[in-house]
Amino acid sequence: MPTRTARLAALGVLTLAASPALAHTGAGAAASFMDGFLHPLGGLDHVLAMVAVGLWAGVSGGRAAWSYPLAFLSFMVVGGLFGIADVGLPAVEIGIALSVVVLGAALAFGLKLPAAAGAALVAAFAVFHGHAHGAEMAAGADAAGYAVGFVAATALLHGIGITLSPRAVPRLPLMATRAAGGAMALAGIGLLVL
């Protein structure tokens, strides 16, 4: 019981610690590993989507347990390179908010997809998240260090989601994960409306 309570408390703290504002301002001030690491943690949109990927991977199990996070991380790097190179991507904010809605709904409704299809879905959303991260990097900054930072933070958030999944915590009822997914989807709708 204390372990489950501690894990739920950790998820609550992460959710509350994230800023309700979007994590990307377009200011382009980020320049280091630490800036890259803090960027995904600085916005509720990124935290919810990345934890949702981990939860969905954990709930799905099998190949999805590793392919969803790996697909997200890989395509987030692609999006990050687009952002760093100042390649425009339409509707980045909408894509990020939709990722929270769709991934939360996937959890809430217990969506089961073949691992390749689920990985493709999270990869598509990852490009938007990566673009937002990359676009924040300051000109002349250490691109490699910054990118390693945002990849590391994202992997951490995926790991938290996997760790909080009912497969990892057998005493945690699946309904708790579905309720969390519903709350994430509602938060994503709120991000779309704002």
Side-chain angles (χ1 to χ4, degrees):
M1 184 72 157
T3 303
R4 177 177 57 169
T5 303
R7 288 181 175 151
L8 288 173
L11 179 61
V13 167
L14 279 173
T15 301
L16 292 174
S19 166
L22 299 175
H24 16 92
T25 62
S32 66
F33 168 86
M34 190 53 68
D35 291 327
F37 186 83
L38 292 175
H39 190 260
L41 303 175
L44 185 60
D45 49 1
H46 293 308
V47 171
L48 291 177
M50 293 168 186
V51 170
V53 169
L55 277 170
W56 195 29
V59 167
S60 298
R63 284 185 29 201
W66 59 267
S67 66
Y68 291 6
L70 183 61
F72 193 98
L73 291 168
S74 299
F75 280 83
M76 182 184 66
V77 169
V78 171
L81 292 172
F82 288 155
I84 290 169
D86 201 25
V87 174
L89 182 65
V92 171
E93 299 293 340
I94 293 171
I96 291 170
L98 280 175
S99 74
V100 178
V101 174
V102 171
L103 295 169
L107 285 167
F109 295 111
L111 181 63
K112 303 267 189 229
L113 293 176
L121 179 65
V122 300
F125 287 128
V127 173
F128 292 104
H129 287 270
H131 191 279
H133 298 326
E136 289 293 309
M137 192 183 80
D142 173 19
Y146 179 73
V148 169
F150 70 71
V151 168
T154 299
L156 174 68
L157 291 168
H158 290 333
I160 289 169
I162 291 168
T163 302
L164 293 171
S165 74
R167 286 187 190 269
V169 188
R171 293 172 294 186
L172 185 65
L174 184 58
M175 283 308 292
T177 301
R178 289 196 173 175
M184 290 173 175
L186 289 174
I189 291 169
L191 291 169
L192 281 170
V193 172
L194 294 175

